[in-house]
Amino acid sequence: MRLLVATKNPGKAREFADMLGDRADVSYLTDFPQSVEVAETGLTFRANACLKASGYAQQTGLWTIADDSGLEVPALGGAPGVYSARYAEREGAGEGDAANNALLLANMKDLAEVDRDARFVCVLALADPQGRILLTTRATMDGRIGFAPRGAGGFGYDPLFEIVATGRTTAELSPAEKHAMSHRGKALAALKTLMDGRWPPTGQSV
């Protein structure tokens, strides 16, 4: 079965490749340079995941998994939330991971450790080749935001996101460790469970 994972993010692509293994013949949006970007106009992670899964499935004619994920910090009113990838850009503070991390640290500079709780959220949506959403899953990962970046792995906010039980950031984990506990790893594990033995899927969400 050929499956499209609807991302151009190289970090996400690596994670999906690791976690899916040989389950399917996986393609990414970089394999479809003619595809038209689907606007993330939803107000929730689920809405954006469904928009992307449906839109890219219709463009490519492939079964499609789309991810929408981000960081929520309660002390910042849930920001950056669905705008995690565009956090600094929306504030005119640059673009990309380094700018996003710098803005997050600046906005949290006066917060003590006890007030730095955070969670990663991931929603996955699976669409059939006609763009119908058949499955969605949602998972989270709890932690806190550190005072400075640590670690060379991962991407996005990983260098700032500390797992309290281990004292390490997600950028300090091996890929296998991260997949076992991350929001994306848990969401994909749930999606694979829903898919197992029921192909094509009949529709369900968790």
Side-chain angles (χ1 to χ4, degrees):
M1 181 193 74
R2 193 175 180 198
L3 179 69
L4 173 66
V5 175
T7 186
K8 293 181 180 178
N9 183 308
K12 287 186 181 181
R14 284 193 301 272
E15 290 191 355
F16 276 107
D18 288 345
M19 292 185 288
L20 285 168
D22 59 359
R23 183 186 182 90
D25 177 12
V26 180
S27 298
Y28 301 92
L29 288 179
T30 49
D31 299 315
F32 296 90
Q34 76 281 8
S35 62
V36 177
E37 183 175 1
V38 174
E40 298 179 34
T41 57
L43 299 180
T44 65
F45 293 114
R46 187 183 188 279
N48 282 329
C50 290
L51 283 170
K52 290 185 285 186
S54 180
Y56 289 118
Q58 290 178 72
Q59 289 187 52
T60 62
L62 296 177
W63 287 88
T64 299
I65 292 176
D67 150 291
D68 200 54
S69 54
L71 179 73
E72 294 181 337
V73 180
L76 298 180
V82 295
Y83 305 111
S84 291
R86 308 184 297 280
Y87 188 41
E89 182 181 355
R90 284 170 55 85
E91 298 296 325
E95 297 181 18
D97 291 349
N100 289 336
N101 282 306
L103 180 60
L104 182 65
L105 286 176
N107 287 342
M108 299 183 69
K109 63 183 175 61
D110 296 325
L111 294 178
E113 183 174 89
V114 70
D115 297 317
R116 300 176 76 88
D117 289 350
R119 64 178 166 266
F120 276 133
V121 180
C122 176
V123 174
L124 298 179
L126 175 70
D128 69 13
Q130 288 73 48
R132 294 172 294 196
I133 301 298
L134 297 185
L135 300 175
T136 65
T137 60
R138 183 182 188 275
T140 61
M141 181 184 193
D142 293 325
R144 66 187 172 205
I145 301 302
F147 291 91
R150 299 200 320 268
F155 61 98
Y157 297 95
D158 283 342
L160 295 179
F161 190 87
E162 294 182 357
I163 303 156
V164 176
T166 68
R168 290 187 290 168
T169 69
T170 43
E172 295 177 300
L173 301 177
S174 70
E177 288 175 315
K178 183 181 178 186
H179 300 337
M181 65 179 69
S182 77
H183 53 311
R184 190 168 296 107
K186 290 186 286 188
L188 184 57
L191 189 69
K192 290 193 291 185
T193 296
L194 291 176
M195 292 165 62
D196 281 343
R198 297 195 297 112
W199 196 260
T202 54
Q204 190 172 346
S205 298
V206 297

